[in-house]
Amino acid sequence: MSAETIGAVTTAATTSVSLTLGDDGLARCGWVGDDPEYRRYHDEEWGRPLRDERLLFEKLCLEGFQAGLSWITILRRRPAFRAAFHDFDVDRVAVMDETEVDRLLTDASIIRHRGKIQATIRNAQVTRDLGKSLTGLIWGFAPEPRAVRLRDLAEVPAITPESTALSRELRSRGYTFVGPTTMYALMQSAGLVDDHLSGCHRATHG
């Protein structure tokens, strides 16, 4: 199951095993549960095409921080991550040094993981020196839209050939914490794929 479904909640108010019916009468993908911030994220962000360079870099970094954790943990701390990493300005993050790494390791408002903090700085350096658009690089691996919308959370893949290829390309350029599963979660959240299930109010067909 993709990173977005970790910690998914199935409540008594569901239309199927894979859909949750909110108190506003709208059906949503089952991983949303009843958390208000998760609901907002699902409705306003998840699956919408994201091509802004800074926001896409932020998403890449936060998906790396998510590895081994639930996405809602990262989402709730996103304002703190933005403060810690200069609003994910690539040039400013790229020049952060070990003194700042040590400082962030004492910051309980973010995920205190040395490897992930260092990876964020490293990934900023690679992005700064990329010589091309990060957006163009990532979106170059977007698959063709599915002919039939998925109907069940069990059908959602964890890894695809495209996410594996994207991971391989990013790693070859020096990026870290960009495994195939993490990159599929990025594809979902940044709208390279549309995994809103059939019956979800955000689904555009099916």
Side-chain angles (χ1 to χ4, degrees):
M1 190 57 60
S2 69
E4 296 295 346
T5 64
I6 295 174
V9 178
T10 302
T11 67
T14 55
T15 55
S16 79
V17 67
S18 292
L19 296 176
T20 295
L21 186 64
D23 55 14
D24 56 1
L26 296 177
R28 294 177 173 86
C29 301
W31 55 263
V32 176
D34 58 3
D35 186 280
E37 177 59 12
Y38 236 3
R39 178 187 294 185
R40 184 209 60 75
Y41 176 72
H42 169 275
D43 289 359
E44 299 177 10
E45 296 186 52
W46 194 72
R48 295 188 186 274
L50 180 63
R51 296 180 182 272
D52 180 278
E53 285 279 303
R54 185 191 64 78
L55 292 177
L56 200 55
F57 174 68
E58 174 187 288
K59 187 81 71 174
L60 178 74
C61 296
L62 292 183
E63 293 289 359
F65 270 102
Q66 185 276 333
L69 303 169
S70 66
W71 181 247
I72 190 60
T73 299
I74 303 301
L75 197 58
R76 288 170 177 160
R77 298 180 185 220
R78 184 164 60 174
F81 275 111
R82 287 172 172 169
F85 290 103
H86 308 292
D87 208 27
F88 290 94
D89 180 286
V90 167
D91 291 332
R92 296 182 68 186
V93 176
V95 297
M96 292 175 67
D97 58 22
E98 282 301 310
T99 299
E100 291 176 276
V101 172
D102 290 339
R103 176 180 59 79
L104 291 181
L105 286 171
T106 68
D107 186 349
S109 67
I110 64 168
I111 304 302
R112 293 178 288 180
H113 185 291
R114 181 179 292 276
K116 293 178 180 181
I117 293 170
Q118 291 174 328
T120 299
I121 298 171
R122 170 61 178 163
N123 291 345
Q125 293 167 348
V126 175
T127 302
R128 179 194 59 192
D129 301 333
L130 196 57
K132 64 184 295 184
S133 162
L134 177 64
T135 298
L137 174 60
I138 290 175
W139 274 87
F141 290 87
E144 291 295 319
R146 290 191 179 90
V148 178
R149 185 172 291 277
L150 301 180
R151 306 186 67 85
D152 194 290
L153 285 174
E155 298 176 51
V156 180
I159 298 173
T160 64
E162 293 85 2
S163 76
T164 300
L166 174 58
S167 172
R168 185 181 302 116
E169 176 66 19
L170 292 175
R171 283 171 165 169
S172 75
R173 292 175 178 272
Y175 287 92
T176 57
F177 281 90
V178 290
T181 301
T182 299
M183 289 303 93
Y184 191 67
L186 174 69
M187 287 179 160
Q188 290 177 304
S189 62
L192 281 75
V193 296
D194 180 359
D195 278 352
H196 287 285
L197 301 176
S198 179
C200 171
H201 82 95
R202 280 286 320 281
T204 56
H205 65 274

